[in-house]
Amino acid sequence: MRASFLPDPKVGPPSSSHAAIVLAAGGSARLGRPKQLLRQGGEPLVARVVRLAAETRPRRLLVMLGACHAAIAAELPPPLHARMELHVVDDWRAGLAASLMAAARALHAHRGPVLVTGVDQPALNALHLRALLDGARSARSGCAAVMHGERPGAPAVLSHALFAQVDDLEGDRGFGALLAALPEEELFRLQAPSLALDIDTPDDLRRAMADGLLDREA
């Protein structure tokens, strides 16, 4: 199942049967500074993505922190505090899988879909997340993902059955391989080329600033 971006922005908000996970634990080693604290319109990327996730009205909203967790948590404004749960992942250096496993433990009683997103795609907006949630409800697998070329990846919506396979992950491997293994007609695939840019290196940062996706710095 394929979809072109984007849905009608006048469509009402998605149902609140889902949980949401914002992955913000990484050390940004290649960038050399916390990408979570880069700003768009004066708003830190971590606060922006948590706000977008909160706008989908999840039953639970988990924010997974690790490196520089105190500084990053301090950038989350008070209005968001009542809508989110902060989790510090002690073994964040082990990679993405550690954050996902910690989130799964926290969500052990949750039986609905799970929206998973990082914080380093500066073009991400609310319509992307809404399209994924709507698409997952229409897909036979209950899953939806943004396509990065021919590869499904984040952000993504995972069915309870797929999310339950979190223990099969390791290192920096997320759910991409499990999503790719689904029959093509059973996965909602969102084509959103603007999300191809994520911030991993200084070159990525310069490109995002040049494109107006991140605030320029002195």
Side-chain angles (χ1 to χ4, degrees), residues 21-103:
I21 301 170
V22 175
L23 299 171
S28 308
R30 286 186 287 168
L31 185 61
R33 56 189 291 191
K35 65 179 73 176
Q36 299 93 324
L37 302 182
L38 299 173
R39 294 180 181 269
Q40 183 184 107
E43 184 179 28
L45 287 185
V46 64
R48 180 174 184 274
V49 174
V50 172
R51 174 176 56 80
L52 293 175
E55 288 172 2
T56 69
R57 302 196 307 176
R59 288 186 176 177
R60 293 178 64 185
L61 170 53
L62 280 61
V63 183
M64 313 306 292
L65 302 180
C68 305
H69 60 86
I72 292 167
E75 293 292 336
L76 295 167
L80 288 175
H81 290 183
R83 306 172 70 182
M84 67 184 181
E85 306 168 26
L86 293 181
H87 296 264
V88 177
V89 182
D90 292 333
D91 56 345
W92 62 267
R93 291 180 182 83
L96 179 65
S99 289
L100 290 168
M101 289 179 186

Side-chain angles (χ1 to χ4, degrees), residues 105-117:
R105 289 192 294 271
L107 291 173
H108 65 91
H110 177 71
R111 293 295 180 267
V114 180
L115 169 67
V116 179
T117 184

